[in-house]
Amino acid sequence: MTDPFENALAWFRAAPSRWYNSAKKDVSAAAEWIWEVLQGDFNDNQSTAQVATGTVISMIPFVDQICDVRDVVANCRKIHGEPKETWHWVALVLTLIGLSPTLGSLFKGCGKVVFASLRKATHTASNVPQIAKALDAGIIQLNRFLARPEVVKTLRALKIDNPYKYLANKFRALAAQINVAKLLQAFDEARKAAASLLGLVKRWGGAALAERAGRLLQIIDGVRRQADAQLAKAIKPVQDYLNKLARRLDIEAAAAHQARLNVRNPHAFIRTSADAEKAAFDHALPPYADKRPTLANDPLIDPPDEKAGWTSTEPSAARGRHPLDNAFNTFSTIDPITIPPGTTLYRVLDPLSSDNSICWMTKQEFDLLKSKDDWRRRFAVWTHWNSNGEYVTYVVPPGPGLNVWEGVTASQRLKGTDYVLEGGARQIVIDPAHLDRKHMGPRRPTNWGYDDLDRHTSMIGVPTLTNNWYEKK
């Protein structure tokens, strides 16, 4: 074998010790090495980082060829088990359209990232996969991939300032160009490469290994015989997915470059959505969340009694919508208290958050937080509510003190799921109208970073650590 080929194999699997220990490099060990590499399938438990890293690796010469063969082998195994399942053929189409050398390494790499989520969904059940869920998961993967230094360097070299817009146009064009003839050509190239690798296995390996290699090649050939008819059925779902993906990328492109009037411009800072958060949890549950049917701290069902001097926590049609409407159900216990003058309160926020909003905590609670995970778990804060990264302080001014609602934070359940944030910390809810801007401190970093859910948040041009006092119009 050539050195580049050996190096490519090494990305997937360490060479057997017999390969190194033999003066002549034991060819039977090489056969086993190649065979094990070709057994790689679609790992349903890969982290976002693993997918992004694997995609970068797959852009390396020789390595990309082995990646392509390995992926086609995985598709053929799935189809062999359920030959009439259309969604297995959809997964094969997604693999094949990524094999074209005309796509360019950047677009090919981005395609592999976003296709991975849908391809995985097609293999988890015989039901029609949830396209929206797969799109959300794919965008999360894509954001991580685009943030890698080597990809950023490539984008800069190609003068692509909005990769989402660039990719949206590319995916639309790709959807229009897919046809059976091109897919079969890609399949035949992959089959040729697989036959070459399996030929080495058969020549260098023992009889048992040669027999297994022969059976695998028969599986690939069996899929090829069905491909003309089955690929034709799979093209339409793939085109629909590509067009939906392009529309989603249009939204991402607009969000990344949108202008906001009459407010600070946070540039590229964007909170995730609830759907994207759920998709990320389905992929890998973060340490601050649990999956359970019950709650550790049940939310209050009824609001507390009215108390003079404290803003109501109960909705009122007569009052209209108020900042504290329904705030009571973020509590498991709640009491009206007065915080004495000179007390420092803390609020965790992100660049889009208002300084003078309702959610606060004492210094004692803030000092107990050792990480972002602690904060999200103990104060039950979803990523789509608050992306964190900064905090602000407020010193209760001289006078009668500050009337607030205080109690144990209730557990939060992500709507329609068993995903739960535990709660349990003691939180404070304040009427923003009771806050005096002169006693608000400057923003400071939490030192937890701005990234969430394996998503890299670009802070280039974002006005961080800038106070944002909301003035009611």
Side-chain angles (χ1 to χ4, degrees):
M1 290 189 294
T2 64
D3 288 340
F5 185 67
E6 291 178 32
N7 293 336
L9 288 173
W11 280 110
F12 298 94
R13 187 178 181 86
S17 59
R18 297 202 323 275
W19 177 258
Y20 290 114
N21 296 337
S22 169
K24 296 182 178 180
K25 289 195 172 181
D26 189 336
V27 292
S28 65
E32 293 174 10
W33 191 9
I34 297 170
W35 175 254
E36 291 298 329
V37 166
L38 294 183
Q39 302 316 295
D41 57 10
F42 306 127
N43 182 355
D44 292 338
N45 298 313
Q46 287 187 102
S47 68
T48 301
Q50 286 173 319
V51 171
T53 301
T55 303
V56 170
I57 289 171
S58 73
M59 294 164 67
I60 300 171
F62 273 90
V63 175
D64 68 330
Q65 298 171 33
I66 298 175
C67 284
D68 292 344
V69 173
R70 182 193 57 179
D71 291 348
V72 170
V73 167
N75 285 126
C76 289
R77 287 183 180 278
K78 292 286 187 180
I79 292 171
H80 179 70
E82 296 179 289
K84 301 303 180 183
E85 175 53 64
T86 299
W87 288 100
H88 292 335
W89 289 94
V90 168
L92 177 59
V93 172
L94 292 172
T95 297
L96 294 176
I97 61 179
L99 305 190
S100 172
T102 64
L103 295 180
S105 61
L106 174 66
F107 181 50
K108 184 175 178 179
C110 293
K112 284 190 174 185
V113 167
V114 293
F115 293 166
S117 298
L118 182 66
R119 193 172 60 185
K120 187 187 303 179
T122 63
H123 288 323
T124 56
S126 59
N127 298 326
V128 175
Q130 300 179 29
I131 300 298
K133 175 179 173 181
L135 282 173
D136 281 333
I139 293 298
I140 291 172
Q141 305 275 29
L142 179 62
N143 287 337
R144 181 62 176 267
F145 179 68
L146 292 175
R148 292 185 66 97
E150 56 269 60
V151 179
V152 171
K153 184 177 180 180
T154 300
L155 291 170
R156 190 179 297 118
L158 295 175
K159 298 182 179 180
I160 299 172
D161 63 341
N162 190 331
Y164 300 106
K165 181 178 180 180
Y166 166 82
L167 291 172
N169 293 334
K170 287 285 189 178
F171 282 121
R172 281 196 184 89
L174 183 60
Q177 295 168 6
I178 298 174
N179 59 58
V180 173
K182 290 183 178 179
L183 294 174
L184 290 175
Q185 182 180 0
F187 188 102
D188 289 340
E189 288 296 323
R191 192 269 177 201
K192 181 179 178 181
S196 177
L197 289 169
L198 290 171
L200 296 177
V201 173
K202 292 168 73 173
R203 287 202 306 273
W204 295 347
L209 193 57
E211 183 181 355
R212 291 161 69 189
R215 286 200 302 268
L216 179 55
L217 195 56
Q218 289 175 1
I219 289 174
I220 297 172
D221 288 341
V223 171
R224 177 61 179 84
R225 286 192 292 272
Q226 305 174 64
D228 293 76
Q230 296 296 337
L231 290 178
K233 298 177 184 177
I235 286 177
K236 182 60 166 61
V238 171
Q239 289 174 321
D240 289 344
Y241 171 74
L242 291 174
N243 286 317
K244 285 185 173 68
L245 175 60
R247 286 195 292 273
R248 174 62 185 272
L249 289 168
D250 285 336
I251 295 172
E252 296 290 330
H257 285 70
Q258 65 184 331
R260 294 176 170 84
L261 302 178
N262 302 320
V263 296
R264 296 180 310 112
N265 182 7
H267 300 279
F269 187 85
I270 306 169
R271 290 187 187 132
T272 189
S273 66
D275 287 343
E277 188 160 14
K278 178 183 179 299
F281 281 22
D282 290 341
H283 182 70
L285 194 64
Y288 57 82
D290 301 309
K291 189 172 185 179
R292 50 183 295 178
T294 59
L295 301 179
N297 299 283
D298 291 323
L300 294 175
I301 298 175
D302 299 311
D305 294 335
E306 296 286 336
K307 185 174 176 62
W310 277 258
T311 301
S312 174
T313 60
E314 184 176 13
S316 168
R319 287 191 293 109
R321 190 178 185 278
H322 189 277
L324 297 186
D325 283 356
N326 290 328
F328 73 88
N329 56 21
T330 68
F331 287 90
S332 187
T333 66
I334 190 170
D335 290 294
I337 68 170
T338 299
I339 297 179
T343 303
T344 301
L345 302 177
Y346 287 70
R347 167 169 162 73
V348 177
L349 27 63
D350 65 34
L352 297 180
S353 305
S354 298
D355 297 341
N356 53 329
S357 193
I358 66 174
C359 298
W360 294 79
M361 68 185 75
T362 64
K363 183 178 187 302
Q364 180 182 8
E365 287 285 356
F366 183 80
D367 288 344
L368 290 174
L369 302 177
K370 303 304 179 186
S371 67
K372 177 172 53 183
D373 289 343
D374 281 351
W375 169 64
R376 291 209 181 281
R377 174 175 285 277
R378 298 187 64 244
F379 283 91
V381 183
W382 297 113
T383 301
H384 65 276
W385 290 354
N386 187 335
S387 292
N388 88 90
E390 304 173 4
Y391 74 92
V392 72
T393 58
Y394 181 81
V395 179
V396 179
L402 184 63
N403 294 336
V404 304
W405 296 96
E406 191 266 356
V408 174
T409 304
S411 301
Q412 292 290 330
R413 183 181 303 283
L414 193 59
K415 186 176 180 181
T417 74
D418 282 338
Y419 298 132
V420 172
L421 302 183
E422 182 179 346
R426 299 197 74 83
Q427 70 174 357
I428 294 170
V429 166
I430 303 175
D431 183 348
H434 294 170
L435 298 173
D436 185 340
R437 188 172 188 172
K438 295 192 298 291
H439 297 276
M440 189 74 66
R443 291 206 182 195
R444 296 184 174 90
T446 59
N447 296 319
W448 301 336
Y450 294 89
D451 296 349
D452 266 306
L453 301 177
D454 279 339
R455 182 192 68 171
H456 174 76
T457 302
S458 173
M459 302 305 293
I460 297 174
V462 178
T464 59
L465 305 181
T466 302
N467 285 91
N468 179 25
W469 185 273
Y470 173 73
E471 298 286 357
K472 187 175 181 181
K473 304 299 182 183

